[in-house]
Every structure is written in C-alpha cells, then in structure tokens.
Amino acid sequence: MDVLAQLEPQSVFRFFEQMCAIPHGSGNTKAVSDWCADFARARNLEYHQDADHNIIIIKEATPGYEQAEPMILQGHLDMVCQKEPGCAKDMEKEGLDLEVDGDWVRAKGTTLGSDDGIAVAMALAVLDADDIAHPRVEAVFTTDEETGLFGAASIDVSPLKGRRMINMDSEAEGVFTVSCAGGNTTTCILPLRREAFSGCALRITVGGLTGGHSGSEIDKGSANANMLMGRVLQAAAACTELRIVSVDGGLKNNAIPVESVACVVVADQAAARDALAEMNDVLRSEYHLPDPNLFVTAQAEEATQPAMDAVTTDKVICMLTCLPNGIQAMSADIPGLVQTSLNLGILTTAAEELCAEFSLRSSIDSQKEMLKRRMACLMAQLGGRVTFEGEYTGWQYQEHSPLRELMAEVFTEQYGKAPKIEAIHAGLECGLFAGKMPGLDCVSIGPDLLGVHTPRERMSISSVQRVWKFLLEVLKRAR
Ligand SMILES: [Zn+2]
C-alpha cells in the first residue's frame, strides 16, 4: 500500500489505490461495491446499492448551487483481469501490486483496472471533499461493463434527478465521446428441404481473409467470408447444376469471419472448378489491399448428407448475396463515423435449417429498426424467419448539448485548443443510460490510458492531474 501516496491529486490516487487492493474483476464486484457503500455510510451520504452490485451515491449541492441541475458522474466498478504469462497472482482473491514508472502508474504483471477505476476514484474524491464547489452530484458506478454492459442494463435510475452526465470511461485525454452505437443480434433462419442429387461432391473454401472487429473495424474494407461464399456459389451455380449440402463460417457475430466452407454437389465438376478458379482471381483482385491472402479453393469430398433441393439452394444463394451486410450508412453529423452497419458473423447449417447470425449496429435506433424490417421482409419472401436478441439502444449525437458546450469552453481555456469530438461505432454504457433517461445530456471523457485490457495497461499521472483540474472547473461552472 501507499505506493501512490505522494502523487497529486492525493485524494484521487488514495481512492484508486484502495480500490486496487480489492479484487474487482467482472463478476467479482460485491466487495468493491460494499467498499463504496461503506464510504457513503461513513460520510452520511445517500446511496442505493442493488443486487447486481451497482451503486449510486448522492451528495447534495454545495452552497450557492442549490438551484443548479444535478450532475451525474459515471463509471464502472469492474475490470478486465489479464496477467502476463508466469504471473502467479490470483486476481480473484488478491489485490494488485502497483508501481510508479516515470509518468505512469501500472500493476506488476497484470492489468491495472484504470479502466475504469480512475472514474470511481475521481467521483469518490469529489464526494469526499469539502472544498470543491458543485451542484448535487450523483455518482453512478455500474458492474460488469466489460462483459456486456450488464450493470448499466439492469440499474434502476429512478434515484437520479440529473439529466446531464459525465461518463469517465474514455481512454484519451482531449477527446469527448458524444455518441455510440446501439445494436442487437439478428438471426435469419431458413428451413431446408433436401433431396438426393447425383453428382460430384466438392468442398469449397473461401479463406485467408483479414477479419476484424465488426464495430470498430467494419470500415476497413475487409471482406466477409460468408458473403463472399454467396458470390462464389452463385458463380458456380451459373455454370453447372449445383446443390448445396452445407455452408458454415465464422465463430462470433461481432467478428468479421475469415473463412467460410461450403459442401456442394455439382453435375459438371470441371465447369464448377473453372468457375471457382475464376472467382478466386476476381476476388483476389477486388480485395488485394484489405485481404491480400484471400483464396477460393475446391477439393473433392464425400457428401455426408443429402443435398438441399434446387429451390432451397437458390434461396440460400439469395440470402448470402441479397441480405444486407457491412456499412449501410455513414453519419452526416460526424465525418468518418459509421452510423449503421451489420456483420454476418456466424453461418451454420443443420439438417433442417440454416442460420445466419448478424450483429447489427446503429447510433440511430430507427435505422436499426429499418434494417431489422428489411431482413424480416426478405426472409418472409424466402419462407424463413428472423429472431432478434440482445437489443441495446444507441446514443445519438445531440446537436444541442449544453453540457458539451460547457465542457468544450472549459477545455479550450485550459488546453488552448478545442477538444476532439468523437463518436464510436460500438456500444457504451452511455447508450443504455440515454435509453433509460430521455433527454440525457452526456459526454464521455477520461485521462490517457494505454494498453487497457492487457497486462501492459498503464495510466498517465500528468493526464489524471489535468483531467481532474478540468473536471473540477466544469463542476464549478455547472450552475
Ligand atoms: Zn471501461
């Protein structure tokens, strides 16, 4: 303990160090939540703790701010637990071993949990102080953000009177995040009719792709192996009679699939192989930059089950060529931001049905709905169906945001330049809060953190100092 005792601002680093002594990986947040409850009780602060260990702590306005709108300070209690190979620490039971290295705080051998412990430490330092001017502060600490935003999904926000929120889960000083995507998992299901078809069985592989995250990397131009397979099958079916036996590719709906494999039966093997060789050249040329190692191959194989009939084969090819995939719209508000996209991440064939599982994202909820309807419409025409799961709301860019304007003004004064206003094409807790609290005015900030979610995670001390000073000035002016 007391490795950080000499660092300014002392109260922030003291609470951060105390928190690091309590194991708090995702799913293991009762103790850290109870520590926050003890903090509140010791200071006679109102608090609300729930069964998922989310906790809200409220401190009334300081003199002169009684009429000001409350300010919500939000972060998450849980951290990602990762260790270097050979590190013996039991992160379920043991606290972290902090060390200071120049301008950086890190944890020996493990993640640091500055994502998002620094948010909790700063909020507690505000609640603890008697010399900081502020409106009513409502500190909101959620759990299990890292495993799926579960705390933000379950938390009851009724104790909150505020409708402006500073989320402190961003990792780059000077960047204000002001919008994120909502999403869901949409699965398109086609019933399969099979019948015997005599021909030559082939195993077709579309592989060697680059892949990537279906949110943050959907705009990199890499191909989706499942969708390319649709084109490959269509090209082969145009040259010879072809029946699909199965087509499978991808493991996670939020990863762009790098390989897809189809088993087919064809009437004319030579014609099919020629068509596949041509598609190999066509696709390698189209994707030579994002997917330089792309290949399409075919090899003879034994069919293990009857092929789909001709009508069903056509329907599968229709799905894999006509279902929307990839970027659907770019934002008009924020240049360069993907607004709406989807990714056919997992394609699986069972005996009686084919399932195509997509991850949908949009910062505009109505566009997500539009996509869902489009997919339902096509699948109804094909005699199939769709299911929707895991809906979460987007956080739409607010053209008029008094909080963002106030923060930008303070930032510009303190830093001598304007902040970068950014949006991300992935989910954030802010989206869930915006969904629960209509009219929420929200900005996400944070100090410089490097290597988050890895044992190389570290937090810049000087950046914490500047962000703290910035936060205090924002609170002071939030009348
Ligand atoms: Zn985080």
Side-chain angles (χ1 to χ4, degrees), residues 76 78 115-116 145-146 169 171 453:
H76 60 89
D78 63 310
D115 168 15
D116 193 21
E145 187 269 354
E146 300 287 5
D169 194 19
E171 292 147 21
H453 301 182

Side-chain angles (χ1 to χ4, degrees), residues 190-202:
L190 183 75
L192 304 178
R193 292 218 322 247
R194 296 178 182 272
E195 66 178 22
F197 179 76
S198 64
C200 165
L202 284 179

